[in-house]
């Protein structure tokens, strides 16, 4: 009888240790996921050179258009390239200039970051661009850079418009899904 109690206690301790180890492993994985998410999507590496050949404003939410227009007005590039994936482009803007920058609008095919990378890279070859600034939101900078570097061999820079705090959970999950797609299904340009 005494032996059976000891065996039960030992069995409970072992189960308790297994549960503790499992919880510790889950905690470490969760912390690693949060750290990598923060580095890639919340605090991405951004930077703006004194001047680039083109400012590429990618489609999507946030004040991407406003940021791209400010950069063009500051004479940061000769071209301001707007994706028709933006929620709104002012009428007549696609045929003119913003500051000294000539505006080019394009409809990416497919209507994704991959399509934007492919089409912007074709324009780069046509116009002889060797550097591009990608204007997007904080969460998309890293993935946009990943997509564009596969299609464009020149210098790439990223600048980011902020997104509202309540958008972060969805944005991070969306960017992880997009990154998985880029790394698994669409590794080329």
């Amino acid at each position: 009888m005494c032996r059976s109690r000891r065996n039960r206690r030992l069995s409970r301790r072992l189960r308790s240790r297994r549960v503790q180890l499992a919880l510790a492993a889950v905690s470490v994985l969760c912390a690693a996921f949060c750290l990598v998410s923060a580095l890639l999507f919340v605090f991405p590496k951004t930077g703006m050179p004194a001047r680039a050949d083109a400012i590429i404003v990618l489609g999507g939410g946030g004040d991407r258009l406003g940021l791209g227009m400010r950069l063009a007005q500051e004479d940061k590039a000769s071209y301001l390239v707007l994706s028709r994936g933006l929620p709104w482009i002012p009428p007549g803007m696609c045929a003119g200039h913003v500051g000294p920058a000539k505006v080019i609008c394009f409809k990416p095919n497919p209507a994704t970051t991959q399509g934007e990378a492919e089409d912007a890279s074709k324009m780069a070859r046509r116009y002889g661009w060797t550097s591009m600034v990608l204007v997007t939101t904080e969460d998309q900078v890293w993935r946009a850079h990943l997509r564009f570097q596969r299609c464009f061999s020149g210098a790439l820079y990223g600048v980011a418009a902020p997104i509202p705090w309540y958008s972060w959970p969805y944005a991070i999950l969306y960017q992880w899904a997009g990154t998985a797609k880029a790394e698994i299904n669409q590794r080329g340009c």
Side-chain angles (χ1 to χ4, degrees):
M1 191 108 157
C2 196
R3 188 174 252 186
S4 122
R5 274 191 206 152
R6 262 190 255 145
N7 285 344
R8 279 189 296 224
R9 272 190 252 147
L10 181 60
S11 177
R12 275 189 226 133
R13 279 190 212 141
L14 288 174
R15 271 185 273 154
S16 176
R17 284 187 185 155
R18 286 185 193 136
V19 167
Q20 289 173 348
L21 286 173
L23 288 174
V26 167
S27 296
V28 167
L29 288 173
C30 184
F33 175 80
C34 290
L35 177 64
V36 172
S37 294
L39 292 173
L40 294 180
F41 309 126
V42 180
F43 305 108
K45 183 179 175 188
T46 59
M48 178 68 205
R51 188 145 169 79
D53 292 320
I55 299 164
I56 314 293
V57 182
L58 304 181
D63 190 22
R64 301 166 191 227
L65 180 59
L67 179 54
M69 289 174 61
R70 276 193 305 280
L71 295 173
Q73 288 166 343
E74 294 170 5
D75 196 22
K76 296 290 187 177
S78 300
Y79 293 89
L80 175 61
V81 182
L82 307 176
S83 170
R84 294 254 186 211
L86 288 164
W88 181 75
I89 298 173
M93 186 173 193
C94 293
H97 287 78
V98 172
K102 178 179 178 4
V103 178
I104 300 173
C105 295
F106 73 105
K107 185 170 180 66
N109 183 20
T112 62
T113 307
Q114 178 66 30
E116 291 170 329
E118 292 171 5
D119 290 351
S121 297
K122 289 174 189 170
M123 280 185 258
R125 284 190 291 280
R126 184 179 323 130
Y127 294 106
W129 300 337
T130 59
S131 61
M132 287 188 220
V133 175
L134 307 178
V135 179
T136 185
T137 49
E138 297 159 321
D139 60 307
Q140 191 188 17
V141 169
W142 185 82
R143 188 171 60 84
H145 192 275
L146 174 71
R147 292 286 197 183
F148 272 74
Q149 74 184 4
R150 292 176 178 171
C151 298
F152 178 68
S153 60
L156 287 170
Y157 305 91
V159 295
I163 64 172
W165 65 270
Y166 54 82
S167 298
W168 279 109
Y170 173 78
I172 289 170
L173 292 176
Y174 183 88
Q175 294 306 331
W176 271 116
T179 299
K181 182 179 173 186
E183 291 292 7
I184 296 168
N185 294 341
Q186 298 173 334
R187 295 204 44 90
C189 177

